[in-house]
Amino acid sequence: MDATGDATGDLTVGELVDALPDGVVIADGEGRVTRVNAVVARWFGVPASALQGLPLAEVLVLQNTEGCDWVGYNAPYGGLRTRVGVPEQSWLLPDGQEVLTAARIVRDDGGAVVRVAVTLRSGRGRERLDRERSDLVATVAHELRSPLTGVKGFVQAMLNRWDVLTDEQKRLMLTTVNADADRLSRLITELLDVARIDTGRLSLHRRPCDAAELAGRVVCSVGAGTSRTVALDVEGAVAPVLADPDKFTQVLTNLVENGVRHGEGTVLVRLAPTADGGGVRITVDDEGRGIPEEIRRRVFTKFWHFGQAGGSGLGMYLVGGLVGAHGGTTEIGETADGGARVAVTWPAARDD
């Protein structure tokens, strides 16, 4: 088969190359371009037929941040005769768009270059990744600054005025410092869990747990820190769930705090057996405006925010990831009065 278009199944080689999502430029051993695909032609604004036969340096009109051109910088036809490729690099198209390039250098038995194949991939994916990392850094900085400021302020006040502060004042300050330290610890735990979920390295220590007891602790803990009413309703005999108790508590805490932060009125946590008896259904309802149906799919994405309330934007992402890791499901709905409802099904612990 040659490179001019012999049939491969129902498609020619040219059609196969044009079907690729990345740009492709192939040059022969003399440095003349033998094929470019439609992606490259579109990026450079020149018909593919007009590029064939030109020197590779005239086709790959790319520059890096130092003003170097791709062929001059990488010298694919020079260097060691054992070199067979060029690793991925960032380059700029004439219009300023970033592309990521990589190359394969094909040599004959004597080491002479027979063919150079260069791929060009849009840099938008990396830009999106960089933007997510920047968002993460900004989120972490914002979330850490507030409790750290409180801790620093109260500790400094106690150090400077220890002799004149009453025991009640000292107790109040230490209680606040302890609460802020807990908040910092939770944020760090969330960040670590996000990284573990993203890399598939989340460790779970599952065992049978009393869902009603754990839910009761969460309701009391969150309720003590807000003027809003946080209530628990357990319907019927709820079977033990198979869960990592720390992660179960983390999921429910995030759901309840989300209801307090973004909703209104009473936040109601309800536990009930699933219809098939194979698990526990947990719903967290509030009396706010609810979550519009058109954005419900985005609720469990990283850095999701809705309304003016603060937060790291990681809580609901963790809910979806942790519940899924346990084999459960999550869904967004609404209450009869139009408030938000987040429903979680959690697998029950089996007798064996």
Side-chain angles (χ1 to χ4, degrees):
M1 179 187 303
D2 61 27
T4 59
D6 286 347
T8 302
D10 295 331
L11 296 176
T12 65
V13 172
E15 290 171 334
L16 287 171
V17 174
D18 284 341
L20 295 174
D22 297 336
V24 176
V25 178
I26 301 175
D28 60 19
E30 302 299 323
R32 295 282 175 176
V33 172
T34 59
R35 179 172 298 281
V36 297
N37 71 347
V39 174
V40 170
R42 183 174 68 252
W43 278 344
F44 289 103
V46 180
S49 59
L51 297 174
Q52 294 187 24
L54 295 178
L56 182 60
E58 294 184 17
V59 174
L60 283 181
V61 188
L62 303 173
Q63 284 193 335
N64 61 14
T65 55
E66 299 175 353
C68 301
D69 67 279
W70 191 92
V71 173
Y73 183 85
N74 290 294
Y77 294 93
L80 297 175
R81 297 174 72 85
T82 56
R83 189 166 65 130
V84 295
V86 178
E88 186 174 81
Q89 301 169 343
S90 173
W91 291 84
L92 299 176
L93 292 170
D95 63 1
Q97 179 182 343
E98 182 190 23
V99 291
L100 305 177
T101 68
R104 172 76 183 277
I105 302 173
V106 181
R107 299 177 181 271
D108 61 18
D109 294 338
V113 177
V114 175
R115 187 177 301 109
V116 174
V118 185
T119 62
L120 299 86
R121 177 165 55 90
S122 173
R124 291 178 180 174
R126 194 172 75 165
E127 289 178 1
R128 184 167 57 251
L129 180 60
D130 290 342
R131 187 165 56 250
E132 288 184 357
R133 288 173 178 168
S134 297
D135 289 343
L136 177 60
V137 171
T139 296
V140 172
H142 177 76
E143 291 297 312
L144 292 179
R145 180 173 56 187
S146 178
L148 277 176
T149 300
V151 169
K152 178 67 175 177
F154 281 118
V155 170
Q156 191 67 45
M158 286 189 290
L159 289 174
N160 293 339
R161 306 184 61 190
W162 183 265
D163 294 336
V164 299
L165 292 172
T166 66
D167 289 344
E168 185 62 29
Q169 289 173 325
K170 294 175 182 177
R171 185 177 296 106
L172 176 61
M173 289 183 176
L174 288 173
T175 300
T176 304
V177 168
N178 184 62
D180 284 340
D182 286 342
R183 180 179 170 188
L184 287 172
S185 179
R186 280 193 55 205
L187 177 59
I188 292 171
T189 299
E190 287 186 349
L191 292 171
L192 290 173
D193 283 343
V194 166
R196 290 164 182 158
I197 290 172
D198 288 345
T199 58
R201 295 187 294 179
L202 182 68
S203 297
L204 299 175
H205 304 282
R206 297 182 179 90
R207 61 177 182 269
C209 301
D210 187 333
E213 180 181 351
L214 293 176
R217 294 176 186 174
V218 171
V219 168
C220 290
S221 175
V222 178
T226 179
S227 59
R228 300 264 299 280
T229 301
V230 182
L232 174 64
D233 181 19
V234 181
E235 299 180 355
V238 176
V241 295
L242 183 63
D244 181 322
D246 291 337
K247 304 306 181 188
F248 182 92
T249 300
Q250 185 178 356
V251 166
L252 198 52
T253 299
N254 283 343
L255 291 177
V256 175
E257 287 187 343
N258 193 68
V260 171
R261 182 180 296 114
H262 297 283
E264 299 174 3
T266 298
V267 176
L268 175 63
V269 181
R270 181 180 291 109
L271 276 65
T274 57
D276 59 5
V280 175
R281 178 177 170 83
I282 306 167
T283 59
V284 179
D285 299 346
D286 65 58
E287 299 175 347
R289 296 176 298 165
I291 302 173
E293 187 172 357
E294 61 271 15
I295 69 170
R296 291 176 185 174
R297 291 184 178 181
R298 303 201 299 269
V299 168
F300 297 103
T301 58
K302 278 186 288 190
F303 309 116
W304 174 80
H305 289 88
F306 179 63
Q308 300 300 317
S312 66
L314 298 174
M316 297 303 288
Y317 175 78
L318 281 169
V319 167
L322 293 176
V323 172
H326 281 84
T329 62
T330 55
E331 60 181 14
I332 303 293
E334 61 182 27
T335 66
D337 297 327
R341 166 173 291 173
V342 182
V344 173
T345 59
W346 208 287
R350 299 182 301 179
D351 294 337
D352 56 355

